[in-house]
Amino acid sequence: MEHVRDLTLLPKAHLHLHFTGSMRPSTLLELADKYGVRLPDALTAGEPPKLRATDERGWFRFQRLYDAARSCLREPDDIRRLVREAAEEDVRDGSGWLEIQVDPTSYAPLLGGMIPAVEIILDAVDAASRETGLGMRVLIAANRMKHPLDARTLARLAVRYADRGIVGFGLSNDERRGMARDFDRAFAIAREGGLLAAPHGGELTGPASVRDCLDDLHAARIGHGVRAAEDPRLLGRLADRQITCEVCPASNVALGVYERPEDVPLRTLFEAGVPMALGADDPLLFGSRLAAQYEIARRYHAFTDAELAELARQSVRGSAAPEDVQAKLLAGIDHWLAT
Ligand SMILES: [Zn+2]
């Protein structure tokens, strides 16, 4: 029998995971019970909800489910539990580095304001990192449905906490709303403060949204970016500049960006030399975690173990992990492939 290497043992970095979206389904049920929250049926069915975010209504439904789940995070203990469990799940899937992304605005009202929310989140990340041994950092993500001035405020806040574990600044929510360039000042503040620019683009809308992230926000990484596959010149640009795309195959299929796992253009990006960091995005809603994304590359796109190892290297190189952490993970990847 042919020996198949275990993908949960392949060291990798996880660069695209949202805060509430990282929650274990069982934890959501427990927290809902604790606070007497009646969850939408789609969140209690025991299987991932059927979503289709390719139109605004579908996206709105996805956001509503996300908001319902978030409403169950009310106390610092809930935040600590969420982050610790996210770290545990990542370790189980072979992650050696996790960058988790959060918009503190959404948590601030229940946690006593923006500053307390950020402090509670960063303390939780510190604690989870110590308890699990997993290197962890935070990306602060602005919401493109809100006013660009809110994004600037967030960028300043993120910069202020750069030495406490914030490494990047993102932009999430519906790409069809507003223009990337509306947020150019916020991203300038973040970049000048030493943060990595990692906005979402090329998920719900096509290659133009990826170009906007590069031109207007000077993105160093792109959240998703898969739709760049529709434009060979853009692929060339991403490859030349080694801009890592945080590709989330299970999420793409769950949200209807692509019909089937085999339709996610992993091969196209890989062959074009665009670095990728596979990510789970919102495992709570999409039903699969980090290693499963590599499994999709293996099963539906015939990535060999050598190619899967290269994908893992790309995730590490695209991360904000310090040199020594990267070196250790890269050595671990070589070891995985050699045995
Ligand atoms: Zn995302």
Side-chain angles (χ1 to χ4, degrees):
M1 203 181 92
E2 197 190 340
H3 180 74
V4 177
R5 288 184 186 82
D6 185 346
L7 286 170
T8 65
L9 300 178
L10 170 63
K12 44 187 118 45
H14 196 182
L15 311 185
H16 201 106
L17 181 69
H18 294 275
F19 205 73
T20 293
S22 74
M23 207 188 314
R24 285 177 186 154
S26 56
T27 298
L28 176 62
L29 297 182
E30 277 181 44
L31 291 177
D33 197 47
K34 173 176 165 190
Y35 295 119
V37 172
R38 189 169 142 54
L39 292 169
D41 294 342
L43 289 175
T44 58
E47 57 181 57
K50 302 253 180 302
L51 295 161
R52 177 145 296 258
T54 45
D55 59 63
E56 293 210 5
R57 268 190 51 168
W59 181 260
F60 181 69
R61 177 158 179 265
F62 163 65
Q63 287 298 324
R64 280 237 322 260
L65 291 178
Y66 198 93
D67 291 345
R70 186 168 46 215
S71 75
C72 296
L73 294 164
R74 302 194 175 182
E75 293 171 356
D77 267 348
D78 305 335
I79 301 290
R80 285 191 277 272
R81 178 178 180 182
L82 173 95
V83 176
R84 191 188 62 245
E85 292 179 352
E88 287 169 359
E89 294 289 351
D90 247 52
V91 167
R92 198 168 298 161
D93 272 15
S95 171
W97 181 262
L98 170 60
E99 294 175 18
I100 195 163
Q101 119 163 231
V102 62
D103 175 2
T105 319
S106 324
Y107 304 88
L110 290 168
L111 296 174
M114 284 288 267
I115 303 276
V118 170
E119 301 245 355
I120 288 164
I121 290 164
L122 292 177
D123 286 348
V125 166
D126 269 351
S129 187
R130 273 196 313 274
E131 286 161 21
T132 62
L134 176 67
M136 283 181 81
R137 296 290 187 272
V138 173
L139 278 91
I140 296 286
N143 184 344
R144 72 188 286 160
M145 310 289 272
K146 294 199 177 137
H147 198 278
L149 282 174
D150 292 334
R152 281 196 221 179
T153 307
L154 262 186
R156 283 194 199 93
L157 185 66
V159 167
R160 205 187 317 158
Y161 283 90
D163 62 350
R164 288 273 316 275
I166 294 175
V167 291
F169 191 68
L171 183 65
S172 59
N173 216 315
D174 195 342
E175 286 166 28
R176 290 162 294 212
R177 298 292 191 87
M179 305 290 286
R181 70 164 171 274
D182 295 339
F183 299 91
D184 59 351
R185 283 301 307 147
F187 273 81
I189 291 164
R191 290 194 317 273
E192 280 155 24
L195 302 181
L196 189 113
H200 282 61
E203 177 195 18
L204 303 172
T205 56
S209 65
V210 177
R211 276 194 295 272
D212 289 348
C213 288
L214 296 177
D215 295 336
D216 299 332
L217 307 180
H218 304 277
R221 271 191 348 223
I222 308 279
H224 295 285
V226 265
R227 302 281 303 275
E230 294 157 31
D231 180 346
R233 275 192 55 193
L234 178 59
L235 286 175
R237 206 174 151 199
L238 292 166
D240 284 348
R241 294 175 47 195
Q242 289 292 288
I243 306 279
T244 301
C245 289
E246 303 155 7
V247 176
C248 307
S251 159
N252 289 162
V253 175
L255 289 176
V257 175
Y258 298 103
E259 204 61 43
R260 303 167 306 169
E262 52 268 48
D263 300 329
V264 181
L266 294 181
R267 272 280 160 211
T268 310
L269 270 76
F270 191 74
E271 301 300 338
V274 178
M276 281 181 276
L278 300 189
D281 208 4
D282 299 301
L284 173 67
L285 293 168
F286 307 141
S288 70
R289 290 190 174 270
L290 182 60
Q293 314 308 314
Y294 287 79
E295 202 64 61
I296 287 174
R298 171 185 267 168
R299 184 161 164 209
Y300 296 98
H301 300 272
F303 275 62
T304 64
D305 285 358
E307 289 172 330
L308 292 163
E310 183 52 25
L311 276 181
R313 285 187 201 102
Q314 291 175 356
S315 75
V316 171
R317 292 192 200 108
S319 76
E323 287 283 339
D324 59 324
V325 174
Q326 291 203 17
K328 198 174 148 234
L329 289 173
L330 292 170
I333 293 167
D334 290 342
H335 179 76
W336 179 83
L337 193 57
T339 48

